[in-house]
Structure formats: C-alpha cells, structure tokens
C-alpha cells in the first residue's frame, strides 16, 4: 500500500510539474532572458539598433556623468523618503481608525482603498487637473473672490516634487491601510484585555506590542511601495512630463526617453540595470530575512 501511495504521489507531482512547465518556460525566456539581454546591451555601444560589441563600463560612466540622470536619482530619493514615510504613517492611522468598529466601516474601507484600484495614469491625471493653476483649485478659489490665492505646484520647480508626492500618497496609502488592517484583525483580543488591566496607554500598546506583531504586513507594504517608487513613470508623465525642465525627472522616464526618443539603447539599458540592482537590493535582504525566520521557526 505504501508503494502504491508513493507511486500516486510521484504521478500527481509529475502532472503538476508538467502543468507548470509552460509558465516556467515563459519566466525563463521572456523574463530572465530579456533581463539578461538588457544587461548585456548595457555593455555595448548600441544606439538605434542593438550591437554585439563590448565597451566595458563606458555606458555606466557616461550615465553617471549625465546631469539629468543624477537629477532623476535625487528626485527619486526625495519622493521615496516622503512617500514611504507619509504612506506608512497615514495608512497605519487609517487602519487603526477603521479597526475601532466605526459605523459605515465598509464605506470607509472602500473610500480609502479606492484610489489604489486606479492606475497611476488616472491618479496622475486627476491631480494634474486639481493642481492645474488655470483649471483646478487655484482657478476656483480666484473665481470665488480670492485673487491672491496661489497653488501652482505643478508648474513651480521648487514644489513640483511635492505635487507628485501628494498624488502618490493619495494612491498608495490605501494599500498600507488594507494590509495593516488585515493584521490588526488577526490580533488576539485577549492582548487588549490584558493591557487594559495593566493600565497601559493605547499608544504604548500599538508601539510596543501591536506593530512588532505586524512585522510581516509592514515589510510587505514597504516592499510593494518601494518597488512602485523605483519604477515610477506613469504618474510623472501624466502630471508634469518631467517638468518644469527636469525638476520632476525620475529614472524610469529617463530610461524611456533614451530608449524611444533619443535612440540610445546602450545608455537606457545601463540605467535600467541600475534600477534592477536597486530592486534586488530591496528584495534580497527581505526575502533572506523571511526565509531565515521561517527556517528558524521550523527548526
């Protein structure tokens, strides 16, 4: 009987592997293959068409000598810092608010999560209209009798990044709320009963007990938000198209412009390889820590 069960187990797994084979082929050739090909092109002198030559790190040297690329990295750092900080704080506070058994909870969940259901293009177009000095809030306030009211973030080089941050926070904070709320709903109610008996303030309970218990949700939300920031393109193009000038330039837009408009495949693939390394630097430590924690528990 054991031999028959073992045979059925092998057969069942074999069929599963056969069923997964087409997807494995797609992953290997369509994803990993194109990824490796892009990295290879970054070491070539490719311009309009790919070339099979080798120029070493010349494209990377040229990349980091390009002021527009440096500006895009600086802009991305500013956006990432404020976006992650505000999204996490705001999303956590919204989750805590909804977790208090408020009335119309389903309505609040829908309202807060609805922006994340939109694409970055739609979110960018909405905020481009709201912040447009000739059409949005500024024009409305001046029509209402406030001629000195100014809200020109999308056309002001010193404030345009904050306009993008505002749009991205509006779009992404709902994701943090949903993940943190799911974690809060899994917290044992006896923990709250014990802390009330001990007289521990609620804010202290959240900081010292609840948030450490929500570590997997926090890491997941931060990783998802970080990846969305690294590949940010749609919202910038929809709101400012990288302007005024290069004030809102981001790496993904730099890559797309060089790939399709400036016919510089080598430089574009070098920039995309830098972004790939950035994503790996974000993902690998997280995956390793999760794997280590899982194996530590099972052992």
């Amino acid at each position: 009987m054991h031999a028959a069960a073992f045979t059925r187990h092998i057969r069942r797994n074999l069929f599963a592997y056969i069923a997964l084979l087409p997807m494995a082929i797609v992953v290997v050739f369509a994803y990993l293959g194109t990824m490796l090909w892009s990295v290879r092109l970054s070491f070539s002198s490719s311009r309009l068409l790919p070339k099979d030559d080798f120029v070493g790190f010349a494209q990377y040297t040229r990349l980091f000598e390009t002021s527009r690329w440096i500006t895009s990295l600086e802009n991305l750092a500013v956006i990432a810092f404020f976006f992650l900080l505000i999204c996490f704080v705001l999303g956590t506070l919204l989750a805590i608010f909804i977790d208090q058994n408020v009335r119309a909870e389903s309505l609040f969940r829908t309202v807060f999560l609805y922006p994340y259901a939109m694409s970055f293009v739609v979110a960018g177009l909405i905020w481009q209209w709201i912040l447009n000095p000739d059409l949005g809030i500024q024009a409305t306030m001046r029509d209402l009798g406030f001629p000195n009211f100014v809200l020109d973030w999308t056309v002001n080089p010193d404030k345009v990044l904050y306009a993008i941050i505002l749009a991205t926070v509006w779009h992404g904070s709902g994701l943090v709320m949903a993940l943190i709320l799911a974690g809060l709903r899994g917290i044992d109610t006896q923990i709250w009963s014990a802390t009330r008996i001990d007289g521990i303030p609620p804010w202290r309970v959240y900081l010292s007990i609840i948030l450490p218990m929500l570590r997997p949700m926090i890491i997941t939300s931060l990783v998802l938000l970080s990846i969305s920031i690294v590949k940010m393109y749609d919202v910038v193009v929809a709101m400012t198209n990288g302007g005024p000038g290069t004030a809102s330039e981001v790496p993904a837009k730099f890559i797309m412009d060089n790939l399709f408009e400036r016919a510089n495949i080598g430089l574009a693939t070098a920039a995309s390889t830098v972004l790939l390394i950035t994503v790996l630097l974000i993902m690998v430590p997280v995956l390793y820590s999760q794997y280590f924690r899982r194996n530590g528990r099972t052992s």
Side-chain angles (χ1 to χ4, degrees):
M1 180 175 293
H2 291 291
F6 179 76
T7 302
R8 286 196 301 270
H9 176 74
I10 293 296
R11 186 179 302 168
R12 183 168 59 249
N13 287 344
L14 180 62
F15 290 152
Y17 290 140
I18 293 174
L20 291 174
L21 185 60
M23 181 175 291
I25 294 174
V26 170
V27 169
V28 171
F29 289 98
Y31 288 93
L32 295 180
T34 54
M35 189 184 304
L36 294 175
W37 177 241
S38 297
V39 174
R40 169 65 185 88
L41 289 178
S42 68
F43 293 99
S44 70
S45 61
S46 303
R47 299 226 17 123
L48 179 61
L49 297 174
K51 292 183 180 180
D52 198 23
D53 58 352
F54 182 78
V55 296
F57 290 92
Q59 296 289 4
Y60 293 90
T61 301
R62 181 185 175 191
L63 177 67
F64 283 95
E65 290 176 349
T66 304
S67 59
R68 185 181 173 192
W69 172 252
I70 301 301
T71 299
S72 70
L73 292 179
E74 293 172 350
N75 292 341
L76 188 67
V78 174
I79 294 173
F81 175 78
F82 286 103
F83 172 72
L84 293 175
L85 178 63
I86 299 174
C87 262
F88 177 73
V89 173
L90 181 60
T92 302
L93 292 177
L94 291 175
I96 293 173
F97 165 72
I98 294 178
D99 193 48
Q100 306 304 311
N101 295 322
V102 297
R103 293 183 179 180
E105 176 184 326
S106 59
L107 175 62
F108 282 115
R109 284 204 311 266
T110 302
V111 170
F112 294 148
L113 189 58
Y114 183 74
Y116 188 74
M118 300 180 183
S119 67
F120 260 137
V121 174
V122 176
L125 289 175
I126 290 174
W127 283 98
Q128 194 274 342
W129 179 83
I130 292 175
L131 299 177
N132 190 314
D134 299 325
L135 300 173
I137 295 177
Q138 176 176 298
T140 302
M141 295 300 293
R142 291 185 177 185
D143 291 340
L144 292 175
F146 300 93
N148 296 323
F149 183 85
V150 176
L151 188 63
D152 59 349
W153 287 10
T154 55
V155 296
N156 189 328
D158 297 325
K159 299 178 181 178
V160 65
L161 289 184
Y162 301 107
I164 295 174
I165 291 169
L166 179 61
T168 52
V169 166
W170 179 76
H171 182 271
S173 57
L175 172 65
V176 180
M177 179 215 69
L179 292 173
I180 298 298
L181 181 60
L184 290 173
R185 292 295 164 85
I187 299 295
D188 192 347
T189 56
Q190 293 183 358
I191 294 177
W192 285 107
S193 301
T195 56
R196 292 192 190 97
I197 293 175
D198 293 336
I200 304 176
W203 66 268
R204 185 70 179 180
V205 177
Y206 279 109
L207 288 179
S208 302
I209 301 175
I210 302 301
L211 288 181
M213 296 177 65
L214 300 180
R215 183 175 178 273
M217 290 75 179
I218 294 173
I219 291 177
T220 300
S221 61
L222 291 179
V223 167
L224 292 175
L225 293 177
S226 299
I227 293 176
S228 68
I229 286 296
V230 170
K231 64 180 184 179
M232 176 184 291
Y233 172 78
D234 302 349
V235 65
V236 174
V237 172
M239 289 186 67
T240 65
N241 199 30
T246 59
S248 60
E249 183 80 6
V250 289
K253 187 176 183 300
F254 176 90
I255 293 170
M256 298 298 287
D257 288 350
N258 279 277
L259 189 62
F260 294 106
E261 294 182 8
R262 302 188 177 188
N264 197 333
I265 296 177
L267 192 65
T269 52
S272 64
T273 302
V274 172
L275 287 191
L276 172 63
I277 294 173
T278 304
V279 173
L280 292 178
L281 290 176
I282 295 172
M283 291 295 297
V284 170
V286 173
L287 295 176
Y288 177 78
S289 64
Q290 295 288 43
Y291 175 80
F292 180 78
R293 284 170 58 87
R294 190 180 303 113
N295 284 355
R297 290 176 181 177
T298 55
S299 59

